[in-house]
Amino acid sequence: MRCQLMSFRSHDGTCNNIKNPTRGASLNRINRFQPAIYENKYNTPQDWNHTLPSARLISQRLIRSHTTKVHSQFSVVMMHFGQFIDHDLAQTVQGPSETTFAPFLRVRCEQTCTNTMPCFPIEVATNDSRIDASCMPFVRSATV
């Protein structure tokens, strides 16, 4: 890939690094710092059988606040901008399906709390004061 000197970065990340034009570009794999660890040694994520604490429970315990504080420098816009960067600009490739692969059980991932490929829902505790559901839908990203 040949890159031209540009005044602005590209929307898909190509040529943002002149020496490595595709590094950080969308639809390219990201190198791992550590090898992948799958529960079945092949393709199921860790905690497929719910042996670890829920990701929701961990975030509640680590980032807990009973009161809302007004910050002198930052607003909720900062959080939303972080979400924008993470979800939109990172352009993570979605999995090819958001429907279960199980035979005779074609269910969209947002309608089930069962771990059935590609659905990997996040459990929500019954005493969660912010989410009125037993799980949050989550679909694994595609491999590139």
Side-chain angles (χ1 to χ4, degrees):
M1 172 179 278
R2 298 187 71 188
C3 298
Q4 298 175 3
L5 189 58
M6 300 179 293
S7 299
F8 301 99
R9 293 179 181 261
S10 64
H11 72 282
D12 66 355
T14 55
C15 295
N16 290 344
N17 182 326
I18 300 299
K19 291 182 182 177
N20 300 288
T22 59
R23 184 178 288 170
S26 64
L27 303 178
N28 282 286
R29 68 183 280 249
I30 299 171
N31 292 329
R32 295 179 179 270
F33 291 115
Q34 296 288 322
I37 301 172
Y38 295 108
E39 193 161 295
N40 67 351
K41 309 285 188 237
Y42 173 66
N43 68 347
T44 54
Q46 282 190 316
D47 199 39
W48 189 255
N49 294 311
H50 302 293
T51 55
L52 299 171
S54 160
R56 172 70 183 155
L57 183 64
I58 291 170
S59 70
Q60 275 187 307
R61 293 212 175 138
L62 291 177
I63 309 169
R64 183 178 8 189
S65 176
H66 298 291
T67 60
T68 304
K69 297 178 184 177
V70 177
H71 198 281
S72 62
Q73 289 180 300
F74 307 115
S75 71
V76 74
V77 174
M78 182 177 180
M79 179 275 301
H80 284 291
F81 184 68
Q83 290 289 299
F84 170 72
I85 296 293
D86 182 51
H87 296 274
D88 293 335
L89 296 183
Q91 296 181 7
T92 300
V93 179
Q94 291 292 317
S97 176
E98 292 183 9
T99 304
T100 59
F101 298 155
F104 310 110
L105 182 66
R106 304 287 297 171
V107 178
R108 292 194 52 79
C109 291
E110 67 261 8
Q111 298 171 330
T112 183
C113 288
T114 305
N115 283 354
T116 306
M117 290 289 194
C119 310
F120 189 44
I122 300 168
E123 289 183 47
V124 175
T126 54
N127 63 349
D128 193 306
S129 61
R130 295 186 181 200
I131 298 177
D132 186 26
S134 56
C135 70
M136 295 187 307
F138 181 77
V139 180
R140 296 177 64 197
S141 59
T143 57
V144 178

